[in-house]
Amino acid sequence: DAKTTQPPSMDCAEGRAANLPCNHSTISGNEYVYWYRQIHSQGPQYIIHGLKNNETNEMASLIITEDRKSSTLILPHATLRDTAVYYCIVRLPLSSNTGKLIFGQGTTLQVKP
Amino acid sequence: NAGVMQNPRHLVRRRGQEARLRCSPMKGHSHVYWYRQLPEEGLKFMVYLQKENIIDESGMPKERFSAEFPKEGPSILRIQQVVRGDSAAYFCASSPRSGKNEQFFGPGTRLTVL
């Protein structure tokens, strides 16, 4: 699995968009970009994933650069409950039979009032 | 649809005892993963199981740790002769048989070894 690089911490004002970057310059063609978050002491929560195209769901948007070497997770209107550690993970699809997620250190997002 | 369930949520053991952690995947999910999070550290993959089969155990310590996912019942992570270094949060995740690949995590079991 490709290695990812994320800033260790970020702050965001409540109500503003939070943009969390991730570098994955060694990503290969069939590897997906996944985002999870872990709110203090809870189990990680799936947010979104994508391969090439930008993706959006009720939680967030995922913007993947054309060369796929980096991506940005966007929380459009951050709330205090979005304070968490956000993990960017690159992995093969389940069909490859290697289902494990490799978590890095992630980005600690602090949403401030 | 209930989420992934883990029990117990908190488990205290003395050194040398056995710890048994249970994970019930979401309904219809046949893939189970176990992860460990040591204090102040990130999550580390331990083992990936499908019903009655261990698919990937590359993250399991070589001794004292074992996992199973029987045809009926929950997945079990078993730690024999626990030591203080086993104190951690153990998370289980499940994913469906095919289609979407995201893993859904349970609330974790916090193991404390005295």
Side-chain angles (χ1 to χ4, degrees):
Chain A
D1 293 328
K3 179 180 171 63
T4 62
T5 304
Q6 299 177 253
S9 63
M10 291 181 64
D11 289 343
C12 177
E14 188 179 18
R16 303 298 292 268
N19 297 282
L20 292 91
C22 179
N23 286 324
H24 32 79
S25 58
T26 59
I27 193 170
S28 56
N30 59 348
E31 288 182 317
Y32 286 72
V33 179
Y34 278 74
W35 284 83
Y36 284 78
R37 72 181 182 183
Q38 187 175 24
I39 297 171
H40 180 63
S41 297
Q42 298 180 20
Q45 178 187 23
Y46 165 80
I47 301 173
I48 199 167
H49 75 279
L51 182 63
K52 295 180 183 178
N53 301 319
N54 298 336
E55 302 286 345
T56 296
N57 62 21
E58 63 278 3
M59 287 183 68
S61 295
L62 175 60
I63 307 297
I64 303 175
T65 58
E66 194 169 342
D67 63 7
R68 303 208 325 120
K69 293 185 177 181
S70 65
S71 60
T72 301
L73 178 75
I74 301 172
L75 307 178
H77 305 287
T79 71
L80 297 177
R81 288 176 294 182
D82 292 321
T83 293
V85 180
Y86 286 77
Y87 297 99
C88 169
I89 299 168
V90 170
R91 60 170 288 206
L92 292 168
L94 189 62
S95 57
S96 72
N97 229 23
T98 55
K100 63 185 177 185
L101 297 172
I102 299 177
F103 289 83
Q105 295 304 307
T107 296
T108 299
L109 175 68
Q110 182 74 46
V111 180
K112 298 185 174 180
Chain B
N1 186 10
V4 177
M5 300 180 70
Q6 291 187 248
N7 68 82
R9 296 290 305 277
H10 299 275
L11 181 62
V12 178
R13 287 287 179 265
R14 296 190 181 281
R15 281 180 296 171
Q17 292 184 319
E18 177 181 286
R20 292 171 70 88
L21 288 62
R22 297 175 189 78
C23 169
S24 296
M26 291 179 68
K27 186 177 180 180
H29 287 195
S30 58
H31 302 262
V32 166
Y33 313 80
W34 285 92
Y35 295 82
R36 177 167 70 172
Q37 188 168 33
L38 294 168
E40 306 303 323
E41 293 191 16
L43 290 124
K44 303 293 184 187
F45 167 80
M46 299 182 75
V47 63
Y48 163 36
L49 311 102
Q50 294 179 26
K51 284 285 187 180
E52 300 184 277
N53 288 304
I54 296 175
I55 306 302
D56 181 355
E57 57 181 345
S58 59
M60 286 281 269
K62 298 294 184 224
E63 298 177 346
R64 303 185 297 108
F65 285 72
S66 62
E68 63 177 9
F69 188 18
K71 186 176 180 180
E72 301 292 337
S75 175
I76 306 289
L77 179 68
R78 182 183 177 203
I79 311 172
Q80 294 178 290
Q81 299 177 318
V82 296
V83 301
R84 288 212 175 113
D86 297 332
S87 295
Y90 292 82
F91 292 99
C92 165
S94 72
S95 66
R97 185 175 186 79
S98 63
K100 295 181 181 178
N101 295 335
E102 59 265 35
Q103 296 178 17
F104 297 88
F105 283 78
T109 293
R110 277 146 189 84
L111 172 66
T112 301
V113 180
L114 301 177

